[in-house]
């Protein structure tokens, strides 16, 4: 459940479930499940998106315990508003260039909605060719990726992301084109949070819950080792890393996928847009075991002899 749901609302939901004889053992905070194993050594935020709102939850880190201390719900900034914004951009282009308004008729509006909905799941978009069947004619035009990105930025302009530091983003957020890039330009670091890991954490956090004493779960212990602020340089006896590992593929530091962020000669992280163990890059040499985030891609630093 989202952290914005009140205890009174959960009580009502629990009463309905009990009347329907649906066993309920507890309510686990989504941000906790997603952020329990995020590679962060200090407090961070988890961003999730629903149909009609954006959720920003603060996760406090103390050694291996993580607790959700606050959740801010930004109503009116959800999937529906983002899709509507893109539909308006396309409709405005049609009206200006062809005097045809696809939002004027239900059939063409549905085609437009289907088109923009199909963009979800793509981290970014190129310029898009839009095709609308209208009666016996076909209306077409091209909409630039810049216009779509600007509209998304406009829809999110009411939200101040600059004070959030490191943020973890759920797969729903990653499914919105341009959104992770927009966040990366405003926060210290963006950590991708996977549903598969969240699913395992839901199971872990649910252990010990009972229908006899239903409770709300907002804290739990991470399975990660503690990540202190100096973890990247904590063990000077470790020989430096030589590769970044992702999904069983090892990338040498001079590989095009990572060379813009790693000095292949020294093994040091360089430039912006990189975090080490959930912290902004401070230019130190990478050590085996470091978690390295480049944009939305997560790697593990390793050493190959």
């Amino acid at each position: 459940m989202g952290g914005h749901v009140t205890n009174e609302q959960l009580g009502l939901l629990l009463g309905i479930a009990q009347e329907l004889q649906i066993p309920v053992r507890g309510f686990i905070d989504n941000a906790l499940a997603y952020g329990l194993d995020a590679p962060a050594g200090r407090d961070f935020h988890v961003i999730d998106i629903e149909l009609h709102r954006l959720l920003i939850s603060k996760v406090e880190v103390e050694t291996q315990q993580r607790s959700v201390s606050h959740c801010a719900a930004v109503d009116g900034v959800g999937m529906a508003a983002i899709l509507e914004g893109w539909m308006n951009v396309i409709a405005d282009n049609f009206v200006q260039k062809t005097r045809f308004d696809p939002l004027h008729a239900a059939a063409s509006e549905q085609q437009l909605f289907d088109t923009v909905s199909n963009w979800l799941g793509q981290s970014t978009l190129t310029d898009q060719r839009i095709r609308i069947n209208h009666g016996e004619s076909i209306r077409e035009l091209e909409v630039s990726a810049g216009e779509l990105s600007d509209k998304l930025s406009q829809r999110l302009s009411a939200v101040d992301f600059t004070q959030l530091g490191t943020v973890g983003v759920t797969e729903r957020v990653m499914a919105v084109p341009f959104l992770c890039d927009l966040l990366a330009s405003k926060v210290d670091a963006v950590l991708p949070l996977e549903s598969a890991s969240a699913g395992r954490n839901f199971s872990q956090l649910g252990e010990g819950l009972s229908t006899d004493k239903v409770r709300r779960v907002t804290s739990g212990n991470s399975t990660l080792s503690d990540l202190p602020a100096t973890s990247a340089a904590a063990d000077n006896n470790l020989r430096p890393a030589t590769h970044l590992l992702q999904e069983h593929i090892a990338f040498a530091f001079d590989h095009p996928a990572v060379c813009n962020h790693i000095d292949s000669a020294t093994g040091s992280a360089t430039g912006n847009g990189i975090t080490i163990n959930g912290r902004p890059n401070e230019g130190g040499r990478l050590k085996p075991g470091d978690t390295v985030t480049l944009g939305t891609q997560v790697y593990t630093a390793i050493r190959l002899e």
Side-chain angles (χ1 to χ4, degrees):
M1 54 102 195
H4 65 297
V5 181
T6 67
N7 288 335
E8 290 75 14
Q9 291 170 327
L10 290 180
L12 177 61
L13 179 60
L14 177 60
I16 295 173
Q18 290 174 337
E19 286 297 320
L20 296 173
Q21 297 184 345
I22 299 174
V24 176
R25 294 187 295 142
F27 298 99
I28 300 173
D29 195 293
N30 285 340
L32 177 64
Y34 271 98
L36 194 63
D37 291 332
R42 58 182 174 183
D43 297 355
F44 62 100
H45 290 80
V46 172
I47 298 181
D48 196 10
I49 190 168
E50 296 181 347
L51 185 60
H52 297 296
R53 64 183 58 86
L54 192 75
L55 301 177
I56 304 174
S57 301
K58 183 177 182 180
V59 179
E60 296 182 348
V61 178
E62 184 175 352
T63 62
Q64 288 184 272
Q65 185 177 57
R66 301 193 170 187
S67 305
V68 178
S69 61
H70 176 72
C71 177
V74 186
D75 292 324
V77 185
M79 289 284 196
I82 291 172
L83 296 180
E84 180 187 42
W86 288 338
M87 290 173 66
N88 289 335
V89 168
I90 297 170
D92 289 345
N93 272 272
F94 268 116
V95 171
Q96 292 172 11
K97 297 175 182 179
T98 70
R99 306 188 73 175
F100 163 66
D101 185 357
L103 300 180
H104 187 68
S108 55
E109 182 179 10
Q110 184 64 51
Q111 291 178 62
L112 194 54
F113 176 80
D114 293 341
T115 296
V116 298
S117 296
N118 288 335
W119 296 344
L120 297 177
Q122 304 179 48
S123 59
T124 190
L125 291 173
T126 57
D127 295 347
Q128 296 293 305
R129 190 72 182 175
I130 310 299
R131 180 186 178 100
I132 301 290
N133 294 317
H134 180 64
E136 298 181 355
S137 63
I138 298 176
R139 307 298 182 107
E140 294 185 79
L141 57 68
E142 190 168 276
V143 176
S144 72
E147 289 179 276
L148 300 172
S149 178
D150 289 346
K151 176 56 72 172
L152 175 62
S153 180
Q154 179 186 355
R155 288 286 160 125
L156 296 175
S157 61
V159 185
D160 183 12
F161 296 104
T162 59
Q163 304 301 315
L164 297 184
T166 296
V167 302
V169 293
T170 67
E171 289 186 343
R172 286 183 289 270
V173 172
M174 290 187 279
V176 179
F178 310 115
L179 184 48
C180 284
D181 289 339
L182 176 64
L183 290 172
S185 70
K186 296 178 179 294
V187 302
D188 293 339
V190 176
L191 305 176
L193 307 175
E194 298 181 353
S195 293
S197 177
R200 292 191 296 271
N201 292 335
F202 274 118
S203 297
Q204 174 193 331
L205 294 166
E207 294 177 358
L209 295 179
S210 170
T211 55
D212 294 332
K213 189 177 181 180
V214 178
R215 61 187 179 90
R216 183 171 192 160
V217 180
T218 58
S219 64
N221 291 323
S222 172
T223 59
L224 293 180
S225 299
D226 186 25
L227 296 172
T230 57
S231 60
D235 187 353
N236 291 324
N237 294 322
L238 279 176
R239 301 178 68 186
T242 60
H243 292 68
L244 293 182
L245 181 68
Q246 184 187 57
E247 296 182 355
H248 312 296
I249 300 176
F251 297 92
F253 289 160
D254 59 359
H255 189 279
V258 301
C259 65
N260 290 333
H261 301 276
I262 309 293
D263 184 332
S264 60
T266 65
S268 300
T270 61
N272 299 321
I274 179 173
T275 64
I276 314 299
N277 299 319
R279 296 183 176 277
N281 172 37
E282 297 178 351
R285 289 200 305 176
L286 296 177
K287 298 289 175 40
D290 282 343
T291 298
V292 181
T293 304
L294 305 179
T296 60
Q297 302 299 310
V298 180
Y299 304 84
T300 299
I302 63 172
R303 179 176 179 83
L304 298 182
E305 301 292 347

